[in-house]
């Protein structure tokens, strides 16, 4: 019961610690009622101000003027009853009311003007500067469209005052002015301090990041736009006070080619449709959503199910109609109130913006594609796609040209065959008898073969093999025995492709795992799959029979040269497969078969004048050399192949050769050259429109190359694109996409963009496909996420992730992992001020440590808990902290008794150092100094690796000696010796820290 003013004040304080939202708002309303029972201006004013704040940040700004009227009445009656903070808030919140009135179309302009006059007069009477008044006049001009530039100049020309909006928020407002003028460059220049984190507030830089999204895209600063989206949206998600920011992120997705991501954002923020207390922000939200939904409607996805206001099932078409009706009406209300068309015109201009990227901007985060919204998109590469030749209108000419291009391996042949299939499927199609097209059976066979190619490119092996067999039967029906043989021969390697992919997937999953015990059964299955794949050698009796039959048909003139070469290529491919699977020590028979098959293929290709096939044969040779460690040989061979293709004017075959060359260079530890070659490969693949090119793996390898040369920005771009490409491959590439995102998160953290990394990792775990991930990959993702959250000081969320992870790994045979996770969970819980849960996690860590000791980590965790205890409880926590450090010492002593290896100097020195810190916090300085000197002595025996912690101990000793005990001379002498030792040990930064402290003490003597 709140029966005293103190009880109400305590409840107000507790409510103030709650996040903004319905719970806080309802409690604030109840506390106003409770405060009204007392004739205490301070309590009543604080309750009203708390309620006003709750409304302001919970999407109910319309209610703030009424609450403030009660505050102002109290103020006029008893200004002395307001505390210092409350007095400041009275004048500060005049601006809140001005904004609430301005952004409500039901409030007449005259009423808004009267309030601005009231604000001005009150500020003058209280001796406050008028900069905030002119800011509010500018914001009103911005809404009405009347005198905007004059109002802007009057505002920005005046000096700021103590009641001016925070610098970060004013910066955002000035930047939006330049965006409205079409000057993105100036806007981004203005925003730079906020985007860089040099100017912040509670909602910044997150609001400014949302404002900067489209200007960054328009200026081609895509890396910054990606980062602004990842960081800014993560903060804005689900917040009713961030309606406009959420809308801008959705709009950004639509205009950057990320419609599936936009739909996910819409689903995550569906509840925001219920926020109606801020009309201007609601119009902003509805319009941003409409940009996305209208784009989907234009693309023909009107029947697609989407998220909208609760209580109704929505499609693109129905939601679009709803949005337009409500938003148009709301904009019209503003324009009617204002007497101008400024609001409606701004809305129409926003809806008229065309997509700002020609290709989807890879965002790094996982976005499940909505049905029917994904399309094949060319790679992001520095070379433009070449102009394709016009399709012949005449059907016969179209078929003849498709065959010519297919013979050359030209990527345009796929496009022409698709067009042929469309025309054949038309109801009015009539086969052109007696033409170069040939018989209907032949054409149907060719189309079946093309469909099979498409299935195999999608890794749909069963469908592809069935399609090839169908094509073979149709070729036989057409009297084309040679083509039938060629197609049937190709079916002999389909199973090899499938087996190789299964083996690669098993190996990739194993490489990414952490050794789970319930993963042991899985590991067994994977090892078995890998062994089966390696054991699945080519069917050489069938391949030999196919070659013999090909020789017969060729002698009879029933097999074309190209079909004969395809039979030889199939044998070369099979021999290459068997060799690769037999590495590192293939049998002599396997090597001999490879050399014979590939050599025979090469000789025949040269004899028959097929530069294309000759180049392919040399790629097998180069790849085998690279896999056997003969990298220089592989690089030389591939460079010769490129020269051969250039001479033969077959540039569309270079992307795959360049991809192999890039891999060989990367393996040769020549990452700079690999970066250049991978860029060329992707550029050429995009230029020739080769949709079958392995873009995702190439982007991934480009990312690895960029990391090795220190181009972390390039690595982020490449890995983001690789992840997006794997996403487009569908469910079968979920683990590959997740693995790339783990690598991407590592790079983002290395570049100091931990928030971006956390957003990427969260997208992996939040996606429905996470359930299909290997358990060890899932564990690694959770661990990386938990560490990232802890780094961001989001300790509660970090602790939750650690606890989920601890449950996941609890049954693993590898209990070292369980110990590590439980230790980190305990720290996160303590830092989140959840001490009971931290103690439970620590008990869990102790139990795991008993089963599988992690001496250094267990001791370090206990020391860090001691430090957190002192930080939380001060001197009152000394006994608890010292007990934890004593336990850390006990961990080391027990390990020594059991003969376990651990870093003795690190553990003992760390304990002395941490004990000294705790004693210093408790103002027991002499004892603290003695302890830190013991730490220095221990580190003296630790060798080179102990020099850095020794330098830190010297720093702490000098601080205690000089600052706390007043012995500056001794501190200076200690620091002088420490500086010399750091310089000798090659620690210039540590020496600089000590030198700066020495200068401070020397100056104070």
């Amino acid at each position: 019961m709140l029966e005293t003013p103190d009880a109400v004040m305590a409840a107000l304080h507790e409510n103030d610690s709650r996040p903004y939202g319905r719970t806080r708002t309802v409690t604030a309303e109840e506390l106003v009622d409770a405060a009204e029972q007392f004739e205490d201006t301070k309590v009543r004013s604080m309750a009203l101000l708390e309620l006003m704040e709750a409304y302001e940040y919970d999407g109910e700004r319309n209610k703030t003027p009424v609450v403030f009227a009660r505050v102002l009445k109290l103020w006029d009656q008893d200004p002395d009853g307001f505390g210092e903070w409350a007095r400041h808030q009275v004048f500060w919140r005049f601006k809140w009311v001005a904004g609430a009135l301005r952004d409500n179309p039901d409030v007449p302009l005259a009423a808004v003007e009267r309030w601005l006059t009231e604000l001005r007069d009150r500020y003058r009477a209280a001796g406050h500067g008028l900069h905030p008044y002119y800011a509010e006049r500018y914001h009103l001009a911005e809404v009405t469209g009347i005198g905007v530039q004059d109002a802007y100049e009057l505002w920005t020309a005046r000096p700021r005052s103590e009641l001016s909006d925070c610098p970060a928020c004013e910066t955002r407002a000035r930047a939006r002015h330049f965006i409205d003028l079409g000057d993105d460059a100036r806007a981004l220049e203005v925003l730079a301090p906020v985007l860089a984190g040099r100017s912040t507030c509670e909602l910044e830089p997150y609001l400014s990041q949302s404002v900067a999204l489209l200007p960054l895209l328009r200026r081609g600063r895509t890396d910054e736009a990606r980062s602004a989206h990842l960081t800014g949206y993560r903060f804005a998600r689900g917040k009713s006070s961030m309606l406009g920011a959420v809308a801008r992120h959705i709009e950004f997705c639509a205009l950057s080619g990320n419609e599936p991501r936009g739909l996910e954002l819409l689903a995550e923020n569906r509840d925001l449709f219920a926020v109606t207390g801020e009309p201007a922000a609601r119009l902003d939200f509805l319009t941003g959503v409409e940009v996305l939904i209208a784009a989907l409607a234009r693309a023909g996805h009107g029947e697609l199910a989407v998220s909208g206001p609760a209580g109704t099932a929505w499609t693109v078409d129905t939601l679009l109609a709803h949005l337009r009706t409500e938003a148009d009406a709301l904009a019209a209300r503003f324009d009617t109130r204002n007497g101008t068309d400024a609001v409606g015109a701004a809305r129409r201009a926003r809806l008229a913006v065309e997509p700002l990227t020609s290709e989807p901007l890879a965002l790094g985060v996982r976005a499940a594609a909505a049905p029917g919204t994904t399309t094949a998109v060319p790679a992001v590469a520095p070379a433009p796609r070449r102009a394709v030749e016009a399709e012949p209108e005449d059907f016969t000419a179209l078929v003849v040209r498709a065959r010519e291009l297919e013979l050359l391996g030209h990527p345009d042949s796929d496009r022409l065959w698709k067009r042929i299939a469309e025309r054949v499927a038309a109801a009015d199609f009539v086969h052109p008898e007696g033409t170069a097209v040939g018989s209907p059976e032949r054409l149907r066979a060719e189309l079946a073969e093309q469909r099979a190619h498409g299935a195999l490119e999608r890794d749909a092996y069963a469908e592809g093999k069935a399609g090839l067999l169908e094509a073979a039967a149709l070729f036989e029906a057409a009297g084309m025995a040679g083509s039938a043989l060629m197609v049937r021969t190709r079916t002999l390697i389909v199973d090899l492709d499938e087996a190789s992919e299964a083996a690669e997937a098993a190996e990739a999953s194993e490489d990414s795992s952490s050794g789970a015990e319930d993963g042991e059964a899985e590991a067994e299955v994977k090892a078995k799959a890998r062994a089966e794949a390696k054991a699945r050698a080519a069917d050489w009796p069938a391949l030999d029979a196919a070659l013999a039959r090909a020789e017969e048909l060729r002698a009879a003139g029933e097999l074309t040269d190209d079909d004969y070469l395809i039979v030889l290529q199939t044998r070369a491919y099979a021999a290459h497969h068997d060799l690769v699977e037999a590495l590192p020590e293939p049998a002599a028979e396997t090597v001999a078969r490879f050399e014979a098959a590939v050599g025979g293929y090469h000789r025949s290709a040269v004899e028959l004048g097929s530069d294309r096939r000759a180049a392919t044969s040399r790629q097998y040779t180069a790849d085998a050399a690279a896999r056997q460690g003969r990298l220089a040989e592989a690089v030389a061979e591939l460079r010769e192949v490129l020269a051969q293709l250039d001479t033969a004017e077959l540039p569309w075959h270079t992307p795959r050769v360049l991809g192999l060359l890039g891999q060989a260079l990367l393996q040769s530890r020549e990452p700079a050259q690999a970066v250049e070659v991978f860029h060329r490969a992707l550029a050429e693949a995009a230029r020739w429109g080769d949709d079958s090119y392995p873009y995702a793996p190439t982007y991934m390898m480009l990312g690895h190359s960029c990391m090795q040369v220190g181009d972390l920005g390039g690595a982020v771009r490449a890995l983001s694109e690789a992840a997006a490409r794997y996403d487009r491959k569908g469910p079968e590439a979920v683990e590959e996409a997740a693995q790339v995102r783990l690598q991407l998160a590592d790079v983002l953290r290395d570049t100091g963009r931990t928030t971006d990394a956390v957003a990427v990792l969260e997208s992996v775990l939040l996606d429905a496909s996470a359930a299909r991930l290997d358990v060890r990959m899932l564990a690694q993702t959770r661990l990386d996420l938990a560490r990232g959250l802890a780094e961001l000081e989001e300790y509660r969320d970090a602790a939750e992730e650690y606890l989920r992870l601890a449950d996941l790994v609890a049954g693993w045979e590898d209990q070292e992992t369980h110990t590590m996770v439980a230790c980190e969970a305990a720290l996160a819980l303590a830092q989140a001020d959840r001490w009971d849960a931290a103690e439970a996690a620590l008990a869990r860590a102790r139990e795991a440590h008993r089963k599988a000791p992690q001496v250094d980590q267990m001791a370090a965790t206990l020391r860090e808990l001691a430090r957190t205890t002192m930080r939380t409880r001060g001197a009152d926590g000394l006994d608890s902290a010292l007990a934890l450090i004593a336990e850390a010492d006990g961990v080391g002593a027990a390990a020594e008794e059991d003969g376990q290896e651990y870093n003795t100097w690190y553990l003992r020195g760390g304990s002395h150092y941490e004990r000294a810190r705790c004693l210093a916090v408790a103002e027991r300085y002499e004892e603290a100094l003695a302890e830190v000197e013991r730490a220095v002595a221990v580190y003296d025996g630790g060798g080179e690796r102990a020099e850095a912690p020794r330098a830190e101990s010297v720093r702490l000793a000098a601080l205690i000696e000089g600052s706390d005990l007043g012995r500056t001379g001794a501190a200076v002498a200690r620091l002088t010796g420490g500086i010399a030792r750091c310089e000798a040990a090659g620690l210039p930064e540590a020496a600089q820290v000590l030198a700066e402290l020495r200068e401070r003490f020397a100056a104070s003597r």
Side-chain angles (χ1 to χ4, degrees):
M1 294 291 292
L2 301 176
E3 297 180 346
T4 66
D6 287 345
V8 175
M9 290 296 290
L12 286 169
H13 179 74
E14 181 183 355
N15 200 42
D16 186 56
S17 66
R18 292 190 175 99
Y20 296 112
R22 194 63 193 146
T23 300
R24 177 167 175 168
T25 301
V26 170
T27 303
E29 291 172 336
E30 293 170 351
L31 290 175
V32 167
D33 292 338
E36 286 297 321
Q37 65 183 303
F38 308 110
E39 293 296 327
D40 188 321
T41 300
K42 181 180 179 180
V43 173
R44 294 167 68 188
S45 63
M46 290 294 287
L48 288 167
L49 289 170
E50 165 63 19
L51 177 58
M52 189 177 180
E53 183 175 340
Y55 285 151
E56 177 75 13
Y57 292 105
D58 191 25
E60 297 190 73
R61 291 181 73 196
N62 276 2
K63 296 180 180 180
T64 59
V66 175
V67 179
F68 192 66
R70 296 172 66 183
V71 172
L72 209 53
K73 183 177 179 181
L74 276 176
W75 172 262
D76 290 336
Q77 291 171 349
D78 182 18
D80 293 337
F82 284 69
E84 183 179 350
W85 179 84
R87 285 197 296 272
H88 178 79
Q89 288 299 309
V90 169
F91 288 97
W92 185 269
R93 297 189 186 188
F94 267 92
K95 300 180 298 178
W96 288 13
V97 174
L101 298 176
R102 177 185 66 241
D103 292 343
N104 185 347
D106 296 329
V107 176
L109 274 186
V112 181
E113 291 282 1
R114 283 195 302 272
W115 183 256
L116 292 182
T117 300
E118 176 86 359
L119 183 155
R120 181 194 64 196
D121 294 345
R122 292 269 190 172
Y123 275 32
R124 275 179 176 162
H128 295 302
L130 293 184
H131 182 264
Y133 164 73
Y134 285 101
E136 294 302 329
R137 293 229 60 100
Y138 164 72
H139 293 315
L140 180 59
E142 191 181 23
V143 169
T144 62
I146 300 171
V148 178
Q149 188 60 33
D150 288 344
Y152 178 80
E153 292 172 3
L154 282 170
W155 164 44
T156 55
R158 299 185 72 88
R160 285 174 47 80
S161 71
E162 66 171 334
L163 291 173
S164 296
D165 285 344
C166 78
C169 290
E170 285 208 344
T171 296
R172 181 182 72 253
R174 289 192 292 115
R176 294 194 71 161
H177 177 74
F178 290 112
I179 293 171
D180 291 342
L181 295 176
D183 191 346
D184 288 334
R186 180 73 184 279
L188 293 172
E189 181 183 348
V190 168
L191 273 178
V194 181
L195 296 179
R198 297 193 299 272
S199 178
T200 63
C201 73
E202 185 173 359
L203 299 181
E204 291 292 358
Y206 312 108
L207 279 174
S208 289
Q209 285 169 333
S210 72
V211 168
L213 289 170
L214 300 188
L216 286 169
L217 272 189
R218 287 191 287 259
R219 298 292 296 175
R221 293 163 61 175
T222 53
D223 290 350
E224 294 165 83
R226 178 192 300 112
S227 181
H229 172 64
L230 294 179
T231 304
Y233 173 69
R234 186 171 178 272
F235 180 86
R237 179 175 55 207
K239 291 185 173 70
S240 54
S241 60
M242 302 280 279
L243 270 178
V246 170
R248 287 187 286 276
H249 284 285
I250 292 173
E251 180 180 22
F252 165 79
C253 290
L255 297 178
S256 65
N258 284 284
E259 290 88 346
R261 168 76 172 163
L263 289 175
E264 289 196 349
L265 268 57
L266 182 59
E268 289 177 353
N269 293 279
R270 183 178 191 176
D271 290 347
L272 296 185
F273 279 106
V275 178
T276 58
E278 298 186 29
R282 181 168 182 80
L283 179 60
D284 199 359
F285 178 71
L286 296 174
T287 303
V289 172
E290 187 177 339
V291 171
L292 170 68
I293 300 302
L296 293 170
R298 287 193 298 271
H301 303 303
E303 296 304 312
L304 181 69
V306 294
S307 297
T312 302
W314 299 94
T315 65
V316 164
D317 283 344
T318 59
L319 181 58
L320 181 59
H322 174 80
L323 292 169
R324 282 179 174 163
T325 299
E326 182 180 350
D328 282 347
L330 187 50
R333 284 167 58 199
F334 272 106
D335 286 343
T336 299
R337 189 275 303 268
N338 297 337
T340 67
D341 70 342
V343 173
R347 169 174 151 75
R348 289 188 293 274
R350 189 172 173 185
L351 293 171
V353 174
E354 296 290 329
L356 299 176
T357 57
S358 58
E359 300 156 354
L361 172 64
L363 299 175
V365 288
R366 171 81 182 170
T373 62
T374 55
T375 55
V377 182
V380 177
R385 185 163 179 165
R386 52 122 182 94
V388 297
E389 65 178 73
E391 296 175 2
E393 286 297 324
D394 178 70
F395 185 76
T396 299
L398 179 63
V399 173
V400 169
R401 184 57 178 157
R403 289 170 180 164
E404 291 172 350
L405 292 178
E406 185 176 7
L407 193 63
L408 294 170
H410 196 293
D412 276 359
S413 65
D414 291 339
R415 176 174 57 86
L416 297 187
W417 280 115
K418 287 175 184 175
R419 181 65 182 136
I420 292 166
E422 290 171 1
R423 292 179 66 171
V424 169
D428 58 351
F429 174 74
V430 176
H431 187 84
E433 298 286 355
T435 66
V437 172
S439 67
E441 290 78 13
R442 176 185 179 182
L443 184 58
R444 286 201 296 274
E446 290 170 321
L447 291 173
E449 185 183 6
Q450 293 299 319
R451 290 193 297 274
H453 292 171
L456 293 173
E457 286 171 7
R458 299 193 312 272
D459 298 334
Y461 297 106
E463 180 186 343
K465 188 172 183 178
L468 289 174
L469 292 172
E470 177 191 356
L474 288 167
F475 276 126
E476 285 177 345
M480 300 176 68
S483 294
L485 172 68
M486 176 271 294
V487 173
R488 274 210 167 83
T489 303
R490 289 170 65 186
T491 65
L492 298 175
I493 60 172
V494 172
D495 291 342
L496 301 183
D497 282 337
E498 186 173 14
S500 295
E501 181 169 307
E504 288 172 8
E507 286 170 5
S509 176
E510 186 175 274
D511 289 344
S512 68
S513 63
S514 312
E517 188 228 342
D518 69 15
E520 283 207 355
E522 292 182 13
E524 244 178 76
V525 171
K526 287 175 183 171
K528 185 177 179 183
R530 196 165 54 255
E532 287 176 355
K534 285 181 175 288
R536 191 178 294 181
D539 185 351
W540 283 101
L543 287 165
D544 289 341
L547 177 60
R549 178 60 177 156
E551 299 287 3
E552 291 175 10
L553 291 172
R554 190 175 180 221
E558 296 182 35
L559 185 70
T560 66
D561 287 346
D562 198 61
D563 283 350
Y564 176 64
L565 288 175
I566 291 174
V567 172
L568 295 180
Q569 180 181 351
T570 303
R571 291 171 56 83
Y573 179 93
H576 174 267
H577 168 274
D578 286 357
L579 178 71
V580 167
E581 296 300 341
L583 292 175
E585 297 181 3
E589 179 187 2
T590 302
V591 175
R593 182 176 281 149
F594 171 79
E595 292 173 349
V598 174
Y601 176 38
H602 179 71
R603 286 191 298 274
S604 294
V606 172
E607 289 169 5
L608 296 174
S610 176
D611 292 302
R612 169 197 177 191
R613 304 292 181 188
T616 302
S617 68
R618 298 182 71 179
Q619 288 176 57
Y620 291 134
T621 301
D623 184 64
R627 290 173 183 268
Q628 291 174 300
R630 305 193 313 273
L631 296 170
E633 179 184 331
V635 168
E637 183 79 2
L638 290 167
R639 291 197 188 280
E640 288 183 18
V641 172
L642 288 170
Q644 179 182 347
L645 291 171
D646 184 55
T647 301
E649 297 183 348
L650 296 170
W652 49 86
H653 288 296
T654 60
R656 293 171 194 275
V657 182
L658 287 165
L660 286 173
L661 177 58
Q663 291 181 61
L665 288 167
L666 187 56
Q667 289 177 283
S668 301
R669 298 183 180 177
E670 298 183 57
Q673 291 188 50
V675 168
E676 179 186 351
V677 169
F678 283 133
H679 273 301
R680 285 179 57 200
L682 291 163
E684 287 301 304
R687 178 186 172 208
W688 293 101
D690 187 356
D691 294 336
S692 67
Y693 183 77
Y695 288 105
T698 305
Y699 272 111
M700 182 175 67
M701 289 184 289
L702 172 59
H704 295 167
S705 303
C706 289
M707 282 190 281
Q708 291 189 28
V709 299
D711 179 10
L712 297 184
V716 168
R717 287 189 292 274
L719 293 174
S720 296
E721 187 67 29
R725 296 281 173 171
Y726 277 123
D727 287 345
R728 291 175 204 164
K729 294 181 72 174
E732 67 272 12
V734 165
E735 289 208 355
E736 289 91 338
Q739 184 61 42
V740 170
R741 287 191 166 92
L742 284 172
Q743 297 165 12
L744 173 60
D746 284 341
V747 178
L748 288 167
R749 277 198 300 272
D750 289 343
T751 59
R753 292 155 59 187
T754 302
T755 306
D756 292 19
V758 164
V760 169
L761 294 168
E762 284 177 336
S763 77
V764 174
L765 294 174
L766 291 172
D767 189 76
S769 64
R772 296 197 296 273
L773 293 179
D774 172 79
V775 66
R776 286 168 278 184
M777 183 182 292
L778 189 63
Q780 186 64 55
T781 305
R782 286 208 182 280
L783 178 60
D784 288 353
L785 175 58
R787 287 173 172 169
L789 289 165
E791 188 176 332
L792 294 175
E793 299 183 2
E794 298 181 22
Y795 296 121
R796 286 181 179 270
D797 291 341
E800 288 179 9
E801 287 299 333
Y802 277 125
L803 292 174
R804 290 189 189 101
L805 181 57
D807 290 340
L808 181 65
V809 304
W812 291 9
E813 183 176 351
D814 171 21
Q815 280 296 291
E816 287 88 352
T817 303
H818 190 199
T819 305
M820 173 195 71
V821 172
C823 283
E824 294 188 30
L827 284 177
L829 287 161
Q831 289 160 334
D833 204 25
R834 294 174 59 188
W835 286 96
D836 290 344
E839 184 55 45
L842 183 58
R844 190 174 192 169
R846 290 178 179 124
E847 179 64 27
H849 174 72
R850 278 192 286 273
K851 296 178 182 177
Q854 291 284 285
V855 178
D856 289 328
Q857 175 145 30
M858 190 71 212
T861 298
L862 292 163
R863 291 196 302 271
E864 187 61 37
L865 283 170
R867 179 179 298 191
T868 305
T869 298
M870 294 302 294
R871 188 163 51 238
T872 305
R873 297 172 56 193
D876 292 341
L878 181 62
D879 290 343
S880 297
L882 292 178
L884 288 165
I885 296 171
E887 184 180 350
D889 287 334
V891 168
E896 202 160 327
E897 272 185 36
D898 295 340
Q900 296 167 7
E901 290 187 7
Y902 72 99
N903 192 330
T904 308
W905 64 261
Y906 179 77
L907 191 154
R908 290 178 52 225
S911 288
H912 286 306
Y913 173 84
E914 204 58 57
R915 193 176 288 112
R917 282 177 56 99
C918 293
L919 290 165
V921 170
E923 300 182 3
R924 290 164 58 174
Y925 300 123
E926 292 289 359
E927 295 172 76
L929 182 58
E931 276 297 321
V932 76
E933 286 178 334
R934 292 185 186 103
V936 172
V938 171
Y939 290 138
D940 279 337
E944 184 179 335
R945 288 186 303 158
E947 287 297 329
R950 183 190 187 281
E952 168 56 21
S953 295
V954 168
R955 186 195 69 83
L956 179 59
L959 273 174
I960 295 170
E961 204 165 30
S963 294
D964 299 320
L965 295 174
R967 303 170 192 163
T968 55
V972 167
R974 185 187 297 275
L975 290 166
T976 299
I979 292 165
R981 183 149 178 165
C982 287
E983 289 172 345
L987 298 172
E989 292 181 3
Q992 180 64 28
V993 169
L994 298 184
E996 289 174 359
L997 185 57
R998 182 179 64 177
E999 288 175 17
R1000 195 180 99 195
F1001 285 142
S1004 68
R1005 292 172 68 183

